[in-house]
């Protein structure tokens, strides 16, 4: 039994609009709005980092849960944009937050599916050892991809979201999670920079390869729609429910057209899907916890509601969780 005790999030103050991007690269507000639904995104300040954003989201969820850092028994942090190659960001968060010497680890590189996968890992950790797990999804993508590449730069934003999970009945129960991976599609969406295939050196610097996000957007689009809708239906089937039982779906926010296609495949009305992509763009593994935090704060979720979280990202990885409030 894994329960969610509280919800938290953090978004940087600086707002970059589509018109701001149009001053920098060959794009327009109209193109970005029509193709993606994004109107603006948040960008971290120079004195912020993946760790500081994760800590801000952690402080937010601790307050929401009525807990202190001492209460946390484990941290799982999902990110594709870590503070450093090593050590992982979760270690830095553990210290900065003032936690005990608890175990922490990053779930790194699983793209935008990272947070929902981390919820699944936390669920199994709690099943073997009843503990309180801080689960964070954080992304500082603006610093990792080329600001000159209009194909990718305009799509992303920086943010963090978090939950605390524990064994005792609390505000919501994670009933089941379906997840999967298709590494056969790994090359469709990559950020190779800094890895052993493409280490940082003079050559990658000269080639501009140090921040090149390579993405076949159309293939990602098609697979994202299929996997997120199928995983959502499957997780409902596993708990003996159907889409008509769902009060709200919180999908990964990568593209409004992807979200719409998932919604239509599931046969649900617009009000059953939570959308905030217009404000934040694609914030990777932070989209789902950030959206869930907003949905709770904006009273989009009531006690008794069955909520589905669904996400898809590089790997390809995907995951869907059924959460009973
Ligand atoms: O979170 C998981 C990771 N990512 C995703 O889920 C992204 C999934 N894919 C998508 O969201 C969409 O495929 C995109 C938003 C990336 C692209 O939309 P699309 O409708 O699939 O456009 P496209 O790839 O077919 O490109 C259409 C045109 C191209 O020009 P040509 O080749 O037709 O002349 C692009 O060069 O749009 C051009 N283009 C742009 N034009 C203006 C690409 N980016 C821009 C831009 N502004 N920012």
């Amino acid at each position: 039994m894994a329960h969610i005790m509280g919800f938290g999030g953090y978004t940087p103050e600086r707002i970059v609009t589509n018109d701001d991007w149009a001053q920098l690269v060959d794009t327009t507000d109209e193109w970005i709005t029509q193709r993606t639904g994004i109107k603006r995104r948040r960008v971290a300040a120079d004195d912020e980092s993946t760790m500081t954003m994760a800590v801000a989201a952690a402080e937010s969820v601790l307050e929401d849960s009525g807990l202190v850092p001492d209460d946390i028994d484990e941290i799982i942090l999902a990110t594709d944009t870590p503070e450093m190659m090593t050590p992982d960001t979760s270690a830095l968060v553990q210290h900065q937050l003032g936690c005990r010497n608890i175990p922490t680890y990053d779930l790194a590189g699983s793209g935008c599916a990272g947070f929902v996968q981390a919820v699944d890992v936390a669920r199994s950790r709690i099943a073997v050892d009843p503990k309180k797990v801080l689960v964070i999804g954080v992304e500082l993508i603006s610093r990792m991809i080329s600001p000159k590449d209009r194909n990718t730069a305009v799509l992303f934003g920086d943010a963090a979201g978090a939950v605390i999970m524990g064994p005792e009945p609390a505000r919501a129960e994670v009933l089941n999670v379906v997840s999967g991976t298709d590494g056969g599609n790994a090359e469709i969406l990559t950020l190779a920079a800094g890895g052993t295939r493409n280490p940082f050196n003079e050559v990658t610097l000269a080639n501009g390869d140090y921040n090149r996000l390579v993405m076949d957007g159309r293939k990602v689009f098609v697979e994202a729609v299929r996997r997120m809708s199928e995983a959502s239906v499957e997780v409902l089937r596993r708990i003996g429910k159907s889409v008509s039982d769902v009060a709200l779906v919180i999908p990964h926010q990568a593209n409004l057209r992807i979200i719409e296609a998932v919604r239509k495949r599931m046969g649900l009305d617009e009000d059953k899907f939570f959308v905030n992509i217009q404000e934040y763009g694609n914030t990777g593994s932070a989209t789902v916890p950030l959206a869930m935090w907003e949905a709770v704060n904006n009273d989009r979720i009531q006690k008794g509601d069955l909520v589905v979280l669904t996400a898809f990202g590089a790997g390809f990885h995907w995951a869907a969780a059924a959460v009973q409030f």
Side-chain angles (χ1 to χ4, degrees), residues 53 94 110 213:
M53 294 202 303
Q94 175 268 335
S110 50
L213 180 80

Side-chain angles (χ1 to χ4, degrees), residues 261-281:
V262 172
R263 181 180 71 73
K264 284 181 184 148
R265 263 178 96 137
M266 291 178 69
L268 285 169
D269 292 339
E270 270 181 34
D271 65 337
K272 299 265 169 155
F273 267 64
F274 189 85
V275 176
N276 65 2
I277 190 171
Q278 66 282 359
E279 296 301 323
Y280 305 114

Side-chain angles (χ1 to χ4, degrees), residues 158-180:
D158 304 331
V163 295
I164 295 172
M165 292 172 61
E168 307 291 339
R171 289 164 67 186
E173 181 176 2
V174 181
L175 298 175
N176 213 315
V177 184
V178 165
S179 57

Side-chain angles (χ1 to χ4, degrees), residues 49-51 53 77-84 89 106-109 111 138-145 157-159 191 283-285:
S49 70
T50 307
M51 185 264 285
M53 294 202 303
L77 184 148
T79 191
D80 274 39
T81 51
E83 184 99 358
M84 302 188 243
T89 311
D106 277 17
L107 213 157
V138 57
E139 227 68 72
L140 203 168
I141 311 181
S142 64
R143 222 172 272 168
M144 298 297 285
I145 59 175
D158 304 331
L191 181 55
T283 60
S285 57

Side-chain angles (χ1 to χ4, degrees), residues 244-264:
S244 58
D245 297 309
V246 174
L248 192 68
V249 177
I250 299 180
H252 171 49
Q253 314 275 319
N255 187 319
L256 184 59
R257 290 185 297 139
I258 295 178
I259 295 171
E260 278 295 289
V262 172
R263 181 180 71 73
K264 284 181 184 148

